[in-house]
Amino acid sequence: MVTERDFKEFMADVCTPVAVVTAMADGLPHGTTVGSLTSLSLRPPMVTVALEHRSRLLPKILRAERFGVNLLGYGQAGVAAAFASPATDRFDEVDWCLDNGLPRLREAPGWLVCRLQRYVAGGDHLLLLGLVVHVSGARTGAPLVYGRRTFGTHSAFTQGNTRSITDHIAAFAH
Ligand SMILES: Cc1cc2nc3c(=O)[nH]c(=O)nc-3n(C[C@H](O)[C@H](O)[C@H](O)COP(=O)(O)O)c2cc1C
């Protein structure tokens, strides 16, 4: 028997990226904080995002069949909290624009435009499979990371130790 508490405690230790997924509906921007952004495929480039059935953003994405992904940087915990709150005026406090017809947060370091290819029900969430049709992101600064119910970043960025995994593997091979 798996209790909700045990499962939540386990998953609290799984660190995630933090992104604000967006869509336009009736001329208005909508956005929700997610930790479920995952790379799915390289050829073609695809990502997945899981949204709860009750999410107000979900029907808007299903209708538009496209969504934007704003990858947040370290220092944007306030933005993540605002887009996870019940507030409906989430965009009032951020600088945003339309990019490919989708709401883009100007301060977010990473940006994807996705076409909804299909979706799969999984328990109380819907897994959205998005084909990436546009990508941009300057590698400036550290990413925002969520773990143990706390916002932070990858420690390597704060320690200036950003040797890539390919260098580690190459060193191991010799
Ligand atoms: C760090 C973090 C990650 C989250 N990840 C998700 C997620 O992957 N999927 C989801 O449906 N909700 C997630 N949430 C909760 C939503 O952001 C929150 O329920 C939001 O109010 C839903 O807004 P909406 O109803 O406008 O879609 C997350 C919240 C936080 C703080």
Side-chain angles (χ1 to χ4, degrees):
M1 169 69 180
V2 176
T3 68
E4 234 175 70
R5 191 171 162 275
D6 287 349
F7 180 61
K8 282 166 87 172
E9 285 307 306
F10 179 91
M11 290 309 297
D13 279 350
V14 179
C15 292
T16 74
V18 187
V20 173
V21 173
T22 60
M24 284 298 283
D26 303 324
L28 291 172
H30 295 266
T32 295
T33 298
V34 304
S36 54
L37 173 70
T38 307
S39 168
L40 174 67
S41 162
L42 179 61
R43 300 188 192 110
M46 292 181 74
V47 294
T48 60
V49 170
L51 282 179
E52 219 223 323
H53 281 299
R54 286 177 305 180
S55 157
R56 290 165 293 177
L57 176 68
L58 181 58
K60 297 168 172 78
I61 292 178
L62 297 182
R63 205 175 316 133
E65 296 186 337
R66 53 209 309 271
F67 58 92
V69 177
N70 295 273
L71 189 64
L72 300 189
Y74 189 38
Q76 291 192 296
V79 175
F83 281 83
S85 79
T88 50
D89 55 354
R90 295 168 178 169
F91 281 85
D92 287 0
E93 303 300 316
V94 291
D95 188 11
W96 69 279
C97 60
L98 279 178
D99 184 317
N100 286 269
L102 290 162
R104 177 176 182 174
L105 310 186
R106 286 188 207 270
E107 306 287 319
W111 169 243
L112 298 180
V113 175
C114 299
R115 198 177 302 145
L116 180 64
Q117 221 173 47
R118 55 189 286 237
Y119 52 88
V120 182
D124 52 14
H125 280 58
L126 215 62
L127 189 67
L128 309 180
L129 278 64
L131 178 70
V132 178
V133 294
H134 175 83
V135 58
S136 61
R139 228 176 259 151
T140 50
L144 186 63
V145 172
Y146 185 71
R148 295 233 174 134
R149 303 182 183 93
T150 307
F151 290 110
T153 191
H154 187 330
S155 62
F157 285 87
T158 53
Q159 291 157 9
N161 170 24
T162 49
R163 191 177 178 208
S164 83
I165 185 69
T166 41
D167 292 342
H168 277 287
I169 291 171
F172 185 74
H174 287 122

